[in-house]
Amino acid sequence: MESHPSHPSLKPLARELAALPCSLGPVRLVGIDGHAGSGKSTFAARLAEALGGAPVLHLDDVASHEELFGWEERLRSQVLEPLAGGRPAHWAPYDWVERRFGPERVLEPAPVLLVEGVGAGRRALRPHLARLLWMETPRAESWQRGRRRDGRELSGFWDGWERAEHAHFSRDPSRPFADTLVRQSGTGYEWTSGAGGTTGTPTSVTDGDELPRA
């Protein structure tokens, strides 16, 4: 996997997030939500780098085939409660190939923790978030991007996913509660944050070599 240099355009956003009050014990929990295929993982990686190596928790590792969106209690008990008490979180990521949860991992409390995935801004998580970011990629474009990325062999999974995601956001929408909207341009990212609506200056982020992850 190619290494990407730090991107100055995200530095102001990183400073803004690092200056927020703690929201989960000693942690500033920042949610990055959006449709599957909208570029959340790629953006989270860039933002984590701008934050000096902040940890990223991927909700794909918390969900499972049987619980695409039913992972709320598992996240609460394994991650949120320990971090709220200033303790390391012990959790087991899901293996989507083996269809089982793998070896346990440890997540230490950090000044900023990014949690990215569809549902990162769900009702149950919002009280614990210092900031909620939403990827402003339209649903149809996001899903097409995700299907192209994953190939024909996963088309059946995507059929089921689209129905599940649509049902989830119908019951528990995230975008109306987002503090920051992130848009991807041909050369980088732009974002609108807070009541003042400040916008970051875009810069090159993909080097033209890969589609964003979900």
Side-chain angles (χ1 to χ4, degrees):
M1 182 174 180
E2 186 175 12
S3 175
H4 294 266
S6 178
H7 301 286
S9 72
L10 296 181
K11 291 292 187 182
L13 179 58
R15 288 194 295 269
E16 185 179 325
L17 297 176
L20 293 171
C22 296
S23 61
L24 185 70
V27 177
R28 296 160 184 84
L29 188 65
V30 175
I32 301 174
D33 206 337
H35 299 292
S38 61
K40 297 181 299 300
S41 296
T42 298
F43 175 74
R46 307 290 192 268
L47 182 56
E49 186 179 7
L51 283 160
V56 181
L57 177 65
H58 303 283
L59 291 178
D60 283 352
D61 292 338
V62 180
S64 69
H65 282 90
E66 291 73 28
E67 296 175 313
L68 293 178
F69 291 99
W71 40 258
E72 181 180 307
E73 176 58 28
R74 182 159 54 250
L75 182 69
R76 183 192 63 79
S77 61
Q78 294 184 355
V79 177
L80 299 182
E81 287 186 350
L83 293 181
R87 305 186 306 276
H90 295 261
W91 63 288
Y94 184 71
D95 187 320
W96 288 87
V97 175
E98 298 294 330
R99 290 177 172 259
R100 60 179 174 81
F101 289 95
E104 185 180 87
R105 294 183 185 176
V106 178
L107 183 62
E108 299 285 346
V112 179
L113 168 62
L114 305 179
V115 54
E116 72 83 17
V118 180
R122 68 192 306 171
R123 188 179 299 113
L125 256 68
R126 287 198 295 271
H128 307 291
L129 296 178
R131 179 69 58 88
L132 173 58
L133 284 63
W134 174 268
M135 302 299 295
E136 276 282 82
T137 307
R139 181 176 65 188
E141 179 183 336
S142 297
W143 287 354
Q144 182 182 37
R145 197 188 266 179
R147 282 179 178 271
R148 186 168 60 243
R149 177 195 68 208
D150 292 342
R152 288 181 179 272
E153 62 273 14
L154 290 180
S155 61
F157 174 82
W158 267 94
D159 291 342
W161 172 267
E162 289 179 4
R163 291 191 294 271
E165 183 185 304
H166 186 272
H168 167 73
F169 280 136
S170 295
R171 294 188 306 266
D172 194 354
S174 297
R175 189 186 183 281
F177 302 94
D179 305 291
T180 301
L181 303 179
V182 180
R183 295 175 178 85
Q184 200 168 10
S185 68
T187 56
Y189 294 106
E190 298 175 340
W191 65 92
T192 304
S193 299
T198 56
T199 303
T201 303
T203 190
S204 176
V205 293
T206 61
D207 297 335
D209 67 331
E210 63 176 332
L211 285 173
R213 298 292 296 174

